[in-house]
Amino acid sequence: NLNQALGHKASALYALGDNQAALDNRRQQLAVLDSPPLDSKDREVQEAKAIVLAQSGIAYLASGSRAASENLLDQAISQWNELIALDPANTLWIGEHNASWMWRAVVRSAGAPSRARQELEAVTASQRRLVARSPDWVHKINLLRMISFERAMGAAPDPA
């Protein structure tokens, strides 16, 4: 579908370092997801929108636009929270929520390092619980990423 094609194109542009073109494609994705016949109450549409918001936030972070990045990641986290409230057992949604939360902590680390460390500790604990429930490799990779960010921000190594 068009949304997926735009997403693949945006990911490729981001990988090539063309963040502006990637963001343009992400904006097009959001427009597609907000257009009829798609229904904004449809869980798949909500999931796709949350993913696009988070990926846009990451692209803004890579471009150095912290305020825009944090805003989009906040929106993604809110969307994930709404979805998780509908299905608390959905480990995919919990994992995506945690990844968005992790990236928001990274954004915040530039202006509020103490707060960012606290957020990373909380999201890492959440991700550990998720990995214990669902040993999906993506969850494990994100857990390793979270631990790396924690260490980079000066958090004490976890004895476990």
Side-chain angles (χ1 to χ4, degrees), residues 74-117:
D74 282 343
Q75 290 179 54
I77 291 166
S78 292
Q79 186 74 57
W80 289 122
N81 285 336
E82 289 176 25
L83 287 166
I84 292 167
L86 296 172
D87 184 1
N90 190 316
T91 58
L92 172 75
W93 292 350
I94 295 167
E96 290 291 338
H97 168 271
N98 287 351
S100 298
W101 187 11
M102 171 193 69
W103 285 113
R104 186 182 65 186
V106 170
V107 171
R108 289 179 172 170
S109 69
S114 175
R115 179 180 180 189
R117 276 192 298 279

Side-chain angles (χ1 to χ4, degrees), residues 7 13 39 43 63 73 86 114 129 132 148:
L13 290 165
D39 181 357
R43 288 185 188 185
S63 298
L73 289 164
L86 296 172
S114 175
R129 289 188 299 274
S148 296

Side-chain angles (χ1 to χ4, degrees), residues 7 9 11 42 49 55 72 92 109-110 113 118 123 129 147 149 154 158:
K9 183 178 179 184
S11 294
D42 182 294
K49 191 169 183 176
Q55 290 172 341
L72 288 163
L92 172 75
S109 69
Q118 290 173 342
V123 73
R129 289 188 299 274
I147 292 167
F149 283 139
D158 185 1

Side-chain angles (χ1 to χ4, degrees), residues 1-158:
N1 72 32
L2 180 58
N3 173 54
Q4 288 177 335
L6 288 167
H8 291 305
K9 183 178 179 184
S11 294
L13 290 165
Y14 177 79
L16 291 170
D18 193 345
N19 293 339
Q20 189 56 52
L23 286 165
D24 290 343
N25 275 269
R26 295 293 182 205
R27 281 189 284 278
Q28 288 178 35
Q29 269 188 288
L30 290 172
V32 167
L33 292 168
D34 287 335
S35 299
L38 298 179
D39 181 357
S40 64
K41 292 180 173 67
D42 182 294
R43 288 185 188 185
E44 288 183 28
V45 172
Q46 292 171 338
E47 178 183 325
K49 191 169 183 176
I51 290 168
V52 174
L53 289 167
Q55 290 172 341
S56 297
I58 294 165
Y60 272 111
L61 173 60
S63 298
S65 300
R66 287 187 357 233
S69 176
E70 185 170 358
N71 180 21
L72 288 163
L73 289 164
D74 282 343
Q75 290 179 54
I77 291 166
S78 292
Q79 186 74 57
W80 289 122
N81 285 336
E82 289 176 25
L83 287 166
I84 292 167
L86 296 172
D87 184 1
N90 190 316
T91 58
L92 172 75
W93 292 350
I94 295 167
E96 290 291 338
H97 168 271
N98 287 351
S100 298
W101 187 11
M102 171 193 69
W103 285 113
R104 186 182 65 186
V106 170
V107 171
R108 289 179 172 170
S109 69
S114 175
R115 179 180 180 189
R117 276 192 298 279
Q118 290 173 342
E119 282 190 40
L120 270 174
E121 288 172 7
V123 73
T124 301
S126 176
Q127 192 72 8
R128 286 181 192 278
R129 289 188 299 274
L130 178 60
V131 167
R133 286 177 44 202
S134 171
D136 184 286
W137 67 272
V138 173
H139 300 323
K140 290 178 182 179
I141 289 171
N142 279 332
L143 176 58
L144 292 173
R145 188 176 287 141
M146 291 168 191
I147 292 167
S148 296
F149 283 139
E150 272 190 312
R151 300 243 170 98
M153 288 185 206
D158 185 1

